[in-house]
């Protein structure tokens, strides 16, 4: 029964193909791409603005707002079923050091006065952002999001919720069928379906060529990815009518974080394209966020359409719905 429930999360066949375009499309910034793809559903008269008198909340590390406790606990279930796959960046290592060894502008993990320095060994970095079309409640898509975190890749996600008017039709136009995930790498001109093929491609191109064991178990990998989503079944699946942003939002986070997951569910439901800045444990981008804000905590949202930057998952969700959902 559990197996059937997990697999029912996928609304698409598992077969697919790889498409290698003969000619690379002209290079475009991702901001322009979003405008061209979403302009059909957004009136030029629609104004995108934060709620009146909106003020971003102060970050509260590891605090859960009482009304979100159930959601966060449910979103943490994949940690158990997926053995925390994606919590560490490739080549992760740590060492206990003196606090004096850490420069003041660098992030370090502090555990009850013990300072832990985290490092990683990353592969080649793509020059342009990889693009992935997917949706939150799909176990095949989760597998790809996990490898994105392990490889510490920054990816533009184009959400494809059921009945979404923009990006599901776009995938059909580009690849010939509405099957997810679908990846486009503008650095090589490669596009492809099939989660396992995408994982293999990303590991070969931007990693060390080795697929992590927890992502190489075939049906068992997909099954555990599906089982981990049972507590959030239906979330991040169906389109909620929303304004289309002229520019993609930017979300700092990583797949394993339950706080990031509940924010991603809303981004998908509202069909809001977003650049995910991956920052799992060991990511050097933790230092960048620390330098930018004086604090490391995820999720952290940057909305270039309104100028809002904010921490705190519960308030981010409220902000997204108030700013983009059509009443």
């Amino acid at each position: 029964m559990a197996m059937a429930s997990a697999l029912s999360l996928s609304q698409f066949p598992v077969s697919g193909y790889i498409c290698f375009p003969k000619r690379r499309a002209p290079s475009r910034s991702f901001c322009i791409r979003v405008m061209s793809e979403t302009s059909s559903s957004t009136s030029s008269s629609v104004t995108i603005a934060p709620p009146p008198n909106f003020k971003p909340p102060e970050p509260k590390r590891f605090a859960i707002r009482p009304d979100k406790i159930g959601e966060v606990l449910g979103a943490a279930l994949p940690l158990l079923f997926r053995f925390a796959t994606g919590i560490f960046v490739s080549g992760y290592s740590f060492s206990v050091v003196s606090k004096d060894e850490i420069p003041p502008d660098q992030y370090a993990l502090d555990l009850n006065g013990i300072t832990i320095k985290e490092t990683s060994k990353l592969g080649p970095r793509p020059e342009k952002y990889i693009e992935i079309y997917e949706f939150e409640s799909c176990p095949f898509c989760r597998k790809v999001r996990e490898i994105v975190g392990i490889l510490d890749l920054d990816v533009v996600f184009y959400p494809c919720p059921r009945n979404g008017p923009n990006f599901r039709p776009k995938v059909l136009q580009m690849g010939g069928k509405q099957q997810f995930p679908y990846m486009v790498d503008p650095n090589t001109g490669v596009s492809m379906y099939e989660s396992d093929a995408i994982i293999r491609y990303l590991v070969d191109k931007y990693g060390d060529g080795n697929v992590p064991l927890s992502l190489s178990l075939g049906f068992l990998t997909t099954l555990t990815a599906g089982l981990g989503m049972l507590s959030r079944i239906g979330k991040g699946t169906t389109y909620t009518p929303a304004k289309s942003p002229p520019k993609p939002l930017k979300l700092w986070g990583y797949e394993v974080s339950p706080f990031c997951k509940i924010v991603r569910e809303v981004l998908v439901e509202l069909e809001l394209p977003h650049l995910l800045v991956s920052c799992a444990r060991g990511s050097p981008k933790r230092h960048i966020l620390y330098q930018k804000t004086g604090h490391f905590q995820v999720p952290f949202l940057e909305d270039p359409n309104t100028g809002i930057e904010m921490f705190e998952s519960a308030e981010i969700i409220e902000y997204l719905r108030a700013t983009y959902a059509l009443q």
Side-chain angles (χ1 to χ4, degrees):
M1 185 67 178
M3 182 182 301
S5 299
L7 295 181
S8 68
L9 294 174
S10 172
Q11 302 296 322
F12 41 85
V14 297
S15 62
Y17 60 88
I18 300 176
C19 174
F20 296 91
K22 294 182 179 179
R23 297 178 60 187
R24 181 183 296 185
S27 176
R28 295 177 291 177
S29 71
F30 61 87
C31 292
I32 294 175
R33 182 181 183 89
V34 171
M35 291 175 67
S36 65
E37 290 178 351
T38 62
S39 59
S40 62
S41 62
T42 305
S43 169
S44 59
S45 63
V46 172
T47 300
I48 296 177
N53 303 316
F54 178 80
K55 183 180 179 181
E58 291 296 322
K60 305 176 186 68
R61 193 177 184 187
F62 299 128
I64 305 177
R65 210 170 71 180
D67 61 318
K68 294 293 182 181
I69 291 176
E71 291 188 41
V72 172
L73 291 178
L77 187 62
L79 280 167
L80 173 63
F81 283 100
R82 294 295 300 134
F83 309 106
T85 301
I87 196 171
F88 300 115
V89 170
S90 180
Y92 175 84
S93 64
F94 71 92
S95 57
V96 178
V97 299
S98 167
K99 188 175 182 179
D100 297 335
E101 294 182 38
I102 305 297
D105 63 343
Q106 296 291 303
Y107 165 79
L109 179 62
D110 183 82
L111 294 176
N112 295 322
I114 300 174
T115 302
I116 298 177
K117 181 179 180 180
E118 301 172 292
T119 59
S120 57
K121 296 179 181 179
L122 302 177
R125 302 292 84 188
E127 181 180 339
K128 301 175 184 177
Y129 296 126
I130 294 166
E131 303 165 5
I132 297 178
Y133 296 76
E134 53 87 57
F135 61 100
E136 181 65 29
S137 61
C138 163
F140 301 97
C141 299
R142 180 183 174 90
K143 290 160 54 179
V144 171
R145 295 195 302 267
E146 287 177 349
I147 198 62
V148 163
I150 292 170
L151 297 178
D152 201 38
L153 296 173
D154 295 347
V155 169
V156 179
F157 282 106
Y158 291 97
C160 299
R162 189 182 299 118
N163 302 323
N166 295 306
F167 303 124
R168 276 188 174 246
K170 185 67 176 179
V171 170
L172 179 62
Q173 177 186 349
M174 291 189 296
K177 54 185 173 181
Q178 289 190 6
Q179 177 179 306
F180 307 97
Y182 182 74
M183 184 208 72
V184 177
D185 186 350
N187 301 281
T188 61
V190 170
S191 59
M192 63 176 68
Y193 293 103
E194 292 297 331
S195 57
D196 289 340
I198 293 171
I199 290 169
R200 167 51 63 188
Y201 171 83
L202 293 175
V203 166
D204 287 343
K205 189 69 179 176
Y206 303 111
D208 60 6
N210 297 312
V211 176
L213 176 62
S214 58
L215 284 169
S216 61
L217 300 177
F219 175 75
L220 183 59
T221 297
T222 304
L223 176 63
T224 54
L227 290 173
M229 295 178 176
L230 289 178
S231 61
R232 302 294 294 162
I233 192 167
K235 301 294 184 180
T237 301
T238 304
Y239 175 65
T240 297
K243 306 170 189 176
S244 296
K247 300 177 182 179
L249 285 67
K250 180 186 287 189
L251 182 70
W252 298 69
Y254 58 107
E255 179 64 20
V256 178
S257 166
F259 300 96
C260 296
K261 180 174 177 58
I262 61 175
V263 169
R264 273 254 321 153
E265 289 171 349
V266 176
L267 286 168
V268 170
E269 291 169 357
L270 297 175
E271 205 185 29
L272 299 177
H274 53 282
L275 170 65
L276 178 71
V277 183
S278 297
C279 46
R281 301 226 67 93
S283 170
K285 281 168 282 185
R286 291 191 167 219
H287 301 301
I288 297 174
L289 184 57
Y290 186 84
Q291 292 165 1
K292 177 181 176 65
T293 66
H295 184 78
F296 179 81
Q297 180 178 312
V298 291
F300 179 70
L301 178 75
E302 297 180 67
D303 188 345
N305 305 290
T306 63
I308 293 295
E309 299 181 356
M310 60 188 298
F311 292 101
E312 294 301 322
S313 57
E315 284 78 4
I316 290 174
I317 289 171
E318 292 174 347
Y319 164 81
L320 291 173
R321 287 177 172 154
T323 303
Y324 290 100
L326 293 174
Q327 304 300 325

